Amino acid sequence: MNVNVGFIGLGIMGKPMALNLIRGGYPLRVYGRRVESMEPLTAAGAQACASPAEVARNADLIFIMVSDTQDVEQVILGPEGVISGARPGCTVVDMSTISPAATRSLAAQLTARGVEMLDAPVSGGETEAVNGALSIMVGGKPEVFTLVKPLFERLGKNIVYIGGNGTGQLAKACNQILVTLSIEGVAEAFTFARKNGVDPGRVREALLGGFAGNKSLEVQGKRMLDHDFRPGFKVRLHQKDLRIIMETAHQMGLALPGSALVAQNMNALMGSGEGDLDSSALVNVIERLNETYITAPLHKG
Amino acid sequence: MNVNVGFIGLGIMGKPMALNLIRGGYPLRVYGRRVESMEPLTAAGAQACASPAEVARNADLIFIMVSDTQDVEQVILGPEGVISGARPGCTVVDMSTISPAATRSLAAQLTARGVEMLDAPVSGGETEAVNGALSIMVGGKPEVFTLVKPLFERLGKNIVYIGGNGTGQLAKACNQILVTLSIEGVAEAFTFARKNGVDPGRVREALLGGFAGNKSLEVQGKRMLDHDFRPGFKVRLHQKDLRIIMETAHQMGLALPGSALVAQNMNALMGSGEGDLDSSALVNVIERLNETYITAPLHKG
């Protein structure tokens, strides 16, 4: 199929995803807010555009990968936005992680112009983006999903259709609830071990093979042990995802006590100027709370 | 090596573990509080004893698998306890999940009589006990661990030496902190999904293959979706483990905010008369809190 594809948002995640589409044989028209962000893409054969509207002008599919709800709203509805360039019959595929309610509203506004929308947020970081190994959770019409699926297969491995518009974002929110509480668990377990004179690294090894083993213990746990908080997935993005979850919970009248607690810890990290660290820096909050530092040397009793 | 082995505590976990030792070629002397609990073992060739002291009398190794701290204290120190029968040079291997501080105290009292002790709590349930596939976390002297290791290999697959007496219990506590917060995460994610009109089963499938996937989502998540709370691992044992963790935290002056929150939810389950359900029934607390039931049918909007 000869399909014209646009890609908007060329940051840590968007850039390797766009490159994977080019490698997959889809010549792209791209737009990034920072002009220099477009250079690696034009070097790979993409055509740079001056605005989201210009990307949309001749596109059948327009991918968006930006940071937050208002960024997506700006890209779609703002001046020189996608909606002012998009032709009826084309599809907007938003792969950002944003508000499910805002997603439903955007989908309704696009549908009114004859434009389809999928929400397709991803799980996985830069490494998975580079390797085309993201998990992708998709909301929207099933026939539109079927149309876009070959392109998703260039970007990810675990591609799951959930339901109508916004349900991809809801599944991603569930993903973040699980990850959030897992990281809190690792941070509390390691601090508990260290306070009791046990090497947290030994505990990590002991538990990785068992029922309690999970990716957070493996990946974020390793970062905690090394106090290596180069991102990875930044605290400010994790805090943003938790804001979306807690806003949605607020709107629905839903209590999520565990998620709310960890959201407070993420707030504390932001307030300590640690927003650009990897979100495994959550352990800093538990360590400081207890004045117990997991990397401090253990003295034999 | 011709080694005389005793086994005390023949419940859901102890019985299959003792049977695996017999199958491994270790003829056992056994004791269970309920006389009938010894029958499957004597049928398999074990010799029934009238008390822990009698089990200990000629034993080189004495395994204990009971429920709680005071049960182990009773078995070791009580009237007709292990300590009154054990010979100097023998080893007590406590595989129960109990207090790390009490473990250190018991080890000291046994050492004063020339008796060694290992704490070797396990992760995994009845299925893993039956299959000899438990994870075993061991505290005590390394040379004693080496001695007992061939028998551990009859009981488990992931066998890790942690450090001195009590450190096996500390590692197990870390294990339970991780599992506890994972189960809370699954319960909150499923309730979030259902409240927003998304099938939690679909969310589970979508997330199992990705970064957020873990054993709690797989195993406890499935039980939650089916509201099938036949144990498995009972709420009252999970509450007991959390009590040990929070007692230890109290004694150390250590704040574990996430673990403390879930401990309260486990308390609520106990107060609702649900102590004998599987601990995945934690979802009941989140569902009732929100009057949102994940098994209720979804109506299309």
Side-chain angles (χ1 to χ4, degrees):
Chain A
M1 190 176 69
N2 202 350
V3 57
N4 294 312
V5 183
F7 205 107
I8 297 167
L10 304 167
I12 293 178
M13 297 295 285
K15 177 182 136 187
M17 292 165 71
L19 285 170
N20 278 335
L21 288 177
I22 293 173
R23 278 188 210 108
Y26 298 96
L28 292 188
R29 292 155 64 87
V30 300
Y31 172 76
R33 226 168 2 188
R34 293 172 297 108
V35 175
E36 66 274 20
S37 73
M38 292 189 269
E39 285 165 12
L41 281 301
T42 51
Q47 185 184 330
C49 294
S51 69
E54 192 184 325
V55 171
R57 210 96 62 198
N58 293 300
D60 302 303
L61 297 177
I62 304 138
F63 286 83
I64 301 174
M65 188 59 169
V66 294
S67 284
D68 205 345
T69 304
Q70 66 261 42
D71 303 317
V72 176
E73 288 170 343
Q74 182 73 13
V75 161
I76 294 179
L77 306 177
E80 285 297 293
V82 165
I83 205 165
S84 65
R87 302 175 301 187
C90 81
T91 296
V92 170
V93 184
D94 178 29
M95 303 193 72
S96 324
T97 295
I98 69 166
S99 153
T103 296
R104 284 191 296 268
S105 164
L106 286 167
Q109 291 174 73
L110 288 167
T111 303
R113 305 284 196 100
V115 175
E116 292 295 339
M117 180 172 174
L118 295 179
D119 48 301
V122 306
S123 145
E126 186 180 1
T127 308
E128 288 76 15
V130 169
N131 297 334
L134 296 164
S135 287
I136 309 177
M137 295 147 266
V138 188
K141 291 185 189 150
E143 62 271 24
V144 179
F145 171 66
T146 304
L147 193 77
V148 181
K149 204 173 176 211
L151 287 88
F152 285 145
E153 283 164 352
R154 294 280 155 192
L155 305 175
K157 287 207 189 317
N158 190 33
I159 300 154
V160 187
Y161 176 75
I162 308 288
N165 289 118
T167 61
Q169 296 295 349
L170 289 166
K172 175 66 189 285
C174 290
N175 187 88
Q176 294 306 76
I177 291 171
L178 293 176
V179 169
T180 295
L181 283 159
S182 286
I183 299 177
E184 178 77 15
V186 178
E188 293 195 9
F190 282 4
T191 307
F192 179 89
R194 179 61 189 74
K195 183 78 171 185
N196 284 284
V198 170
D199 174 10
R202 201 104 196 77
V203 168
R204 176 172 168 278
E205 281 166 41
L207 304 190
L208 266 182
F211 195 93
N214 62 44
K215 279 278 178 186
S216 296
L217 182 64
E218 186 186 331
V219 177
Q220 279 101 346
K222 183 69 169 63
R223 289 170 180 271
M224 291 182 198
L225 292 175
D226 299 338
H227 261 232
D228 176 1
F229 299 133
R230 288 171 296 177
F233 184 67
K234 288 184 181 177
V235 166
R236 68 175 71 258
L237 289 174
H238 206 136
Q239 191 212 27
K240 182 263 298 182
D241 290 356
L242 282 164
R243 191 201 71 227
I244 291 168
I245 292 163
M246 298 321 298
E247 274 177 6
T248 305
H250 182 96
Q251 287 156 7
M252 306 298 293
L254 183 72
L256 301 173
S259 306
L261 184 147
V262 191
Q264 295 303 305
N265 290 343
M266 288 290 172
N267 285 354
L269 279 176
M270 288 298 293
S272 309
E274 292 163 294
D276 289 319
L277 300 185
D278 185 79
S279 73
S280 54
L282 183 69
V283 75
N284 288 344
V285 175
I286 307 299
E287 287 183 306
R288 290 195 291 253
L289 172 67
N290 289 296
E291 285 206 321
T292 297
Y293 300 93
I294 62 173
T295 53
L298 277 167
H299 301 285
K300 304 275 178 183
Chain B
M1 188 177 69
N2 202 349
V3 56
N4 294 313
V5 183
F7 206 107
I8 297 166
L10 305 166
I12 291 178
M13 297 294 285
K15 176 183 136 186
M17 292 165 71
L19 285 170
N20 278 335
L21 289 176
I22 294 173
R23 279 189 208 107
Y26 298 97
L28 294 188
R29 292 156 63 88
V30 299
Y31 173 76
R33 227 167 5 187
R34 292 171 299 108
V35 175
E36 65 274 21
S37 73
M38 294 189 269
E39 286 165 11
L41 280 300
T42 52
Q47 185 183 331
C49 294
S51 69
E54 192 184 325
V55 171
R57 211 94 66 198
N58 294 299
D60 303 301
L61 298 176
I62 303 136
F63 287 82
I64 301 174
M65 188 59 171
V66 294
S67 285
D68 204 345
T69 305
Q70 65 261 40
D71 302 317
V72 175
E73 288 171 341
Q74 182 73 12
V75 161
I76 294 178
L77 306 176
E80 286 297 293
V82 165
I83 205 166
S84 64
R87 301 174 304 185
C90 80
T91 296
V92 171
V93 183
D94 177 29
M95 304 193 72
S96 323
T97 295
I98 70 166
S99 154
T103 295
R104 284 190 296 268
S105 165
L106 286 166
Q109 291 174 74
L110 288 166
T111 303
R113 305 284 196 98
V115 175
E116 294 295 341
M117 181 171 173
L118 296 179
D119 48 300
V122 305
S123 143
E126 186 180 3
T127 307
E128 287 77 16
V130 169
N131 297 334
L134 295 164
S135 287
I136 308 177
M137 295 148 266
V138 188
K141 292 184 187 152
E143 62 271 24
V144 180
F145 170 67
T146 305
L147 194 78
V148 181
K149 203 173 173 209
L151 287 88
F152 285 146
E153 285 165 350
R154 293 281 157 194
L155 305 174
K157 289 208 189 313
N158 189 35
I159 301 154
V160 187
Y161 175 75
I162 308 287
N165 289 118
T167 62
Q169 296 296 350
L170 288 167
K172 175 66 189 283
C174 291
N175 187 87
Q176 295 305 77
I177 290 171
L178 293 177
V179 169
T180 294
L181 283 158
S182 286
I183 299 177
E184 178 77 16
V186 178
E188 292 194 9
F190 283 4
T191 306
F192 179 89
R194 180 59 188 76
K195 183 78 171 185
N196 284 283
V198 171
D199 173 10
R202 202 101 196 80
V203 168
R204 175 174 169 277
E205 281 167 42
L207 304 189
L208 266 182
F211 196 93
N214 62 44
K215 279 278 180 188
S216 296
L217 182 63
E218 185 186 331
V219 177
Q220 279 101 346
K222 183 69 168 66
R223 288 170 181 270
M224 290 181 198
L225 291 176
D226 299 339
H227 262 231
D228 176 359
F229 299 132
R230 288 171 297 176
F233 184 66
K234 287 183 181 177
V235 166
R236 67 174 71 255
L237 290 174
H238 205 137
Q239 190 212 27
K240 182 262 298 181
D241 291 356
L242 282 164
R243 191 200 71 228
I244 291 168
I245 292 163
M246 298 322 297
E247 274 176 9
T248 305
H250 182 98
Q251 287 156 8
M252 306 298 293
L254 184 72
L256 301 173
S259 307
L261 183 146
V262 190
Q264 295 303 307
N265 290 343
M266 288 289 174
N267 286 354
L269 279 176
M270 290 298 292
S272 309
E274 291 163 294
D276 289 318
L277 299 186
D278 184 79
S279 72
S280 54
L282 182 68
V283 75
N284 288 344
V285 176
I286 306 301
E287 288 184 305
R288 289 193 292 252
L289 173 65
N290 289 296
E291 286 206 319
T292 296
Y293 300 92
I294 62 173
T295 53
L298 278 167
H299 300 286
K300 304 276 175 180

